[in-house]
Amino acid sequence: MKYKLNNIQIYIESNYEKMSKQAAYLLASQIRLNSQSVLGLATGGTPVGMYKELVRMHKEEGLDFSQVSSFNLDEYCPISRDNPQSYYYYMMDNLFKHINIDTDRINIPNGNVENIEEECKNYENKIIKAGGIDFQVLGIGNNGHIGFNEPDDKFEAFTHLVYLDEGTIEANSRFFDSIDEVPKKAISMGIKTIMLAKKIMLLANGKNKAAIIKKTIFGEITPKVPASILQVHPDVTFVVDEEAASEIIPLLK
Ligand code: F6R
């Protein structure tokens, strides 16, 4: 089912697999329209199915990533790239090593540098040099974070060092052996970095995302719910499953 609320498009799919396929289709359409697209990519549990479908499209339908550039939203800090919990490792494992992207065009913040401030500045400059992001993929935290922009009193504009919220550390501990192993910091694109993307696609699945999806689309625009800023983006698409949409469905009818 597809809905349109001014600048916001919402696809509600019956389950995770259909959500993943719809998201992959929209991202693949972007690449087919512009083979040199600059993509902004997310990690976490939500987009795994979308990446799986993109790999299938590459292998079976010849979806060509050879001219595509990519910038990931975030990376833990400190973490080494060969750590299986790093977002670098995740991206290689779930997508990059299975497709024909040019490794020189892959950009992921390095969470293992001494000078974090310089790393953030360089990352932001690389995005500008690439011409900005054409298509940004986002997940969403239960607290409304996008990238690792946690709820705050103000929106942080550009790529920066973040101290992760307790709730985020707890939510992400499912990927680690114990909660103590979850890094307490991360490097994340800022809200302005994200909002400057020409198109944005946010994915969410599962009942535990239902309340935050409602607040994001229908609530007050506030840095306390970072994703709520998407209400003012000119071209944003939500691709959600029925569980994540359960609190917005009554408002769309
Ligand atoms: C990941 C990211 C985060 C996640 C969010 C949801 O790169 O930027 O904002 O998208 O924490 O994570 P999952 O998908 O694991 O629920």
Side-chain angles (χ1 to χ4, degrees):
M1 198 76 97
K2 188 177 167 190
Y3 297 88
K4 198 155 173 17
L5 288 174
N6 304 317
N7 53 326
I8 302 179
Q9 302 197 77
I10 308 172
Y11 289 86
I12 300 177
E13 305 296 334
S14 53
N15 57 39
Y16 177 74
E17 199 192 339
K18 293 211 171 112
M19 177 205 80
S20 302
K21 287 198 168 151
Q22 182 59 38
Y25 171 78
L26 293 174
L27 198 145
S29 304
Q30 168 69 35
I31 298 170
R32 288 184 180 122
L33 265 171
N34 173 9
S35 60
Q36 298 184 1
S37 291
V38 179
L39 306 180
L41 298 177
T43 57
T46 313
V48 169
M50 176 189 76
Y51 291 138
K52 204 168 152 210
E53 175 65 6
L54 286 169
V55 169
R56 190 201 63 75
M57 286 172 146
H58 168 66
K59 293 202 165 135
E60 292 176 15
E61 296 168 12
L63 181 63
D64 180 16
F65 290 83
S66 62
Q67 304 299 313
V68 163
S69 304
S70 72
F71 286 88
N72 263 77
L73 278 166
D74 41 23
E75 177 61 284
Y76 288 122
C77 180
I79 202 159
S80 76
R81 292 188 153 182
D82 56 10
N83 183 328
Q85 308 305 340
S86 74
Y87 287 167
Y88 182 90
Y89 195 100
Y90 169 109
M91 288 308 300
M92 291 298 156
D93 209 34
N94 283 292
L95 183 67
F96 295 146
K97 74 178 183 203
H98 309 290
I99 59 172
N100 65 335
I101 192 165
D102 176 347
T103 47
D104 290 343
R105 294 203 175 96
I106 294 173
N107 300 280
I108 301 177
N110 189 346
N112 224 15
V113 290
E114 279 209 350
N115 192 336
I116 303 277
E117 214 173 295
E118 192 179 76
E119 173 67 11
C120 292
K121 241 189 225 158
N122 288 344
Y123 200 68
E124 199 67 42
N125 284 337
K126 268 201 230 162
I127 296 174
I128 294 167
K129 256 201 192 149
I133 290 167
D134 294 310
F135 190 106
Q136 176 69 56
V137 178
L138 298 176
I140 185 167
N142 295 327
N143 62 3
H145 73 214
I146 46 177
F148 274 135
N149 293 277
E150 301 283 30
D152 202 346
D153 295 333
K154 59 175 176 24
F155 290 113
E156 194 78 48
F158 297 111
T159 303
H160 60 292
L161 179 70
V162 178
Y163 290 82
L164 298 175
D165 274 10
E166 283 300 318
T168 300
I169 292 172
E170 206 180 303
N172 289 6
S173 66
R174 70 191 197 277
F175 299 115
F176 291 79
D177 287 339
S178 84
I179 193 162
D180 301 330
E181 284 179 29
V182 186
K184 309 285 177 285
K185 294 182 280 184
I187 294 175
S188 175
M189 282 185 194
I191 290 293
K192 192 160 181 176
T193 327
I194 293 170
M195 289 295 282
L196 284 171
K198 295 176 191 84
K199 277 178 185 289
I200 296 181
M201 176 176 75
L202 186 145
L203 311 186
N205 71 289
K207 195 102 199 117
N208 66 333
K209 297 283 169 76
I212 197 62
I213 286 295
K214 180 181 170 196
K215 271 194 187 168
T216 296
I217 300 177
F218 291 100
E220 185 195 347
I221 299 171
T222 163
K224 304 244 185 272
V225 182
S228 62
I229 191 80
L230 298 175
Q231 289 179 35
V232 297
H233 190 278
D235 188 349
V236 59
T237 301
F238 288 76
V239 186
V240 295
D241 76 350
E242 272 174 7
E243 286 190 351
S246 55
E247 293 195 19
I248 59 167
I249 288 172
L251 304 172
L252 293 169
K253 285 183 175 150

